[in-house]
Amino acid sequence: MNSTRSLSQHARRRIGVVIALAATVAVGVALAAPANAGNHYFMDFGNTPVKQADCGPGSSPETGLSGDVPSADRNSGRSERGYNCNMTLLGQARGAGGGIVSANYDHCSYTGSMFSTAITKKNTGVQVVDVKDPRKPKIVGKLTAPGMIAGTWETLKVNKKRKLLAGTSVPLLWGGGFFAVYDISDCAHPKLLNTGPGTKVPLPFTSHEGGFSPDGKTYWASGLFPGHLSAIDISDPTNPRVIWQGLYAFVGHGFGISPDGNRMYLSNMAGITVLDISAVQRRDPHPQVPHIAAYHWPDGQLNQHTIPVFYDGHAYAITIDEAGSGGVKIFDVERVNKPKLAAQIKLEINLPANLDANLRSSMGGSIFSYNAHYCSADRIENPTALACGWESSGIRVFDIKNLKKIREIGYLNPPTYRSTNPFGLPNSPHALGSIIGVPAVEFMSLGMQTINGKVRLHEAVGPRTGMIALGDRSTDWCMSPPEFRGNQIWATCSDNGFLTMELSKSVYTPPVGQDTTLGNSAP
């Protein structure tokens, strides 16, 4: 037997054992797990990239692997001009930076806040952006309730059905207590509804992530460690109250909720925990939230969120990893305890064999390199396109009409501001994070693929290797969920702020019933 192959197979088995053990620990803290709840492991690392877009007139394509911003482009200043393929930049409202997750409603956008704005007093709180003219968006106000002012992290969401905007206070990674709900019927002039408890008096919950049930009557707040999940009743948004809490998974992160409000796909350390939340949805007197199943995989060590969708009435879950180059995975969940991996979406820079090139170019760019973060589908039923904020790779758009023939149709990686001043954009997590130069969240995947023989560590050494601190901003982090508006796409990136873009009509036709869904904010 070939000794190299034998070692590789042995390494894979060891990795499988490690992941299985980690997954067991992750779900071991779950409460009220029924006997038939199952753990499902998917060991496919995803070695095939999504088909690349054919770039039409007016494009300025990437110069290397798909998704990559090579060291040469970063150091020469080429990346400052940005890259685009079948997408054009229409307008921008930069402000003090774009925060992490922003939200949109009607002709307005709401820029998530960072804790730094409360300290510097510059552009304090959530910024209100008027986008009546997509070519000239402008900041017209700010929201300064306690739930908005200290950093909203990934909690700022909109429920279009009830015309509500809500978010919680997350000063740094983990927070809670303060919660704010706004009436956004007049989107440019939001009205704070909960002026009593939840605004001036903290509620008993923790948060890092948050989002609405589809009917807008429950706001779910998920903490980070130790996987604390809370349901806040906002049937009466003037008087929010916590009606259920529990511990699920090892690290609770984002989530997606089925359109009927009965099932939650809660992100955990290395996959998804599936919960039955129907008792909370029904408002049972003493609701129980059973653990239904858990899905785990070795790449993508921190799952971000999930988008429940349907193809011809058949249930699927689109789930996104924000670390480990896991990309996007799509599961057939019609039989929730017999899931099937239906498709994966990875750019070339995310492939196991390219993680050395990934490290080579991303050194000096702070803790994240090239990962998907938040994605949105253009509708729940038979979605035709998926748009993703892909951190340093910009806004990426994929044709997902046929899950067996997914392809990229366009991208825009915006111009950069290469300054090394970490305080120049106090509302940008990328600017603040640039104090650190090392893409630390990628090291676990790099280690896995080194053991597997995929990575050549000497190839990871390059002209930026020494930038372990005080990195530059030769790329941007596009973390917020993009929103489809006909052929326009609205999104927020950390350094560039709010952006309006246009996707070429030659590659995308808005479907009937286009209504963006990101899984935890009702269309």
Side-chain angles (χ1 to χ4, degrees), residues 29-343:
V29 298
L31 305 177
N36 64 347
N39 296 313
H40 306 271
Y41 304 98
F42 300 88
M43 301 307 294
D44 184 353
F45 281 94
N47 291 291
T48 304
V50 67
K51 183 179 179 181
Q52 294 184 42
D54 294 323
C55 299
S59 297
S60 182
E62 295 164 326
T63 60
L65 299 169
S66 67
D68 188 23
V69 181
S71 299
D73 284 12
R74 293 175 183 243
N75 289 346
S76 70
R78 165 65 185 87
S79 67
E80 294 179 41
R81 303 199 305 271
Y83 309 85
N84 68 295
C85 174
N86 302 329
M87 288 179 69
T88 55
L89 181 62
L90 296 179
Q92 178 180 19
R94 188 182 182 197
I100 298 177
V101 167
S102 299
N104 306 311
Y105 177 72
D106 197 9
H107 60 86
C108 299
S109 184
Y110 307 98
T111 304
S113 62
M114 285 290 292
F115 74 94
S116 59
T117 57
I119 297 172
T120 64
K121 305 298 183 183
K122 183 178 180 181
N123 286 28
T124 303
V126 168
Q127 305 297 293
V128 180
V129 183
D130 190 322
V131 201
K132 281 183 180 177
D133 181 353
R135 295 182 182 276
K136 295 181 180 179
K138 56 183 179 180
I139 297 171
V140 296
K142 58 185 179 181
L143 309 180
T144 57
M148 301 277 120
I149 198 171
T152 52
W153 215 263
E154 293 162 351
T155 71
L156 191 67
K157 303 289 165 51
V158 158
N159 184 273
K160 288 183 271 187
K161 183 177 294 185
R162 296 192 68 197
K163 302 178 183 179
L164 297 177
L165 170 74
T168 77
S169 174
V170 186
L172 183 62
L173 283 176
W174 186 90
F178 291 110
F179 178 57
V181 187
Y182 284 83
D183 176 352
I184 51 174
S185 300
D186 178 356
C187 74
H189 304 93
K191 179 182 177 182
L192 182 64
L193 295 176
N194 59 322
T195 55
T199 297
K200 298 178 181 177
V201 180
L203 296 173
F205 69 90
T206 62
S207 62
H208 170 91
E209 264 270 6
F212 289 91
S213 62
D215 64 10
K217 295 181 180 179
T218 310
Y219 181 93
W220 293 85
S222 57
L224 203 54
F225 179 81
H228 189 217
L229 182 65
S230 302
I232 304 173
D233 186 338
I234 53 171
S235 301
D236 175 4
T238 67
N239 185 31
R241 57 194 182 90
V242 175
I243 56 173
W244 177 88
Q245 292 182 317
L247 292 175
Y248 286 85
F250 181 66
V251 173
H253 205 195
F255 51 84
I257 299 177
S258 60
D260 61 9
N262 291 332
R263 181 178 296 173
M264 174 181 284
Y265 299 89
L266 177 66
S267 299
N268 59 45
M269 176 74 80
I272 301 170
T273 301
V274 188
L275 306 175
D276 179 351
I277 58 172
S278 58
V280 175
Q281 177 70 11
R282 292 191 304 266
R283 295 298 191 265
D284 288 357
H286 302 286
Q288 299 296 309
V289 175
H291 171 138
I292 304 172
Y295 314 152
H296 303 281
W297 48 89
D299 59 341
Q301 286 83 46
L302 192 60
N303 188 255
Q304 176 58 54
H305 77 123
T306 296
I307 309 169
V309 296
F310 296 88
Y311 285 87
D312 296 327
H314 196 95
Y316 287 82
I318 303 171
T319 193
I320 298 95
D321 289 320
E322 76 158 308
S325 282
V328 176
K329 291 177 173 61
I330 304 176
F331 291 94
D332 177 337
V333 293
E334 183 68 15
R335 301 175 69 184
V336 69
N337 242 324
K338 290 190 176 180
K340 299 175 184 176
L341 181 58

Side-chain angles (χ1 to χ4, degrees), residues 354-377:
N354 292 331
L355 292 186
D356 42 18
N358 186 313
L359 179 60
R360 177 186 173 92
S361 65
S362 61
M363 275 298 297
S366 195
I367 58 173
F368 291 104
S369 61
Y370 306 100
N371 286 286
H373 191 255
Y374 252 94
C375 297
S376 302

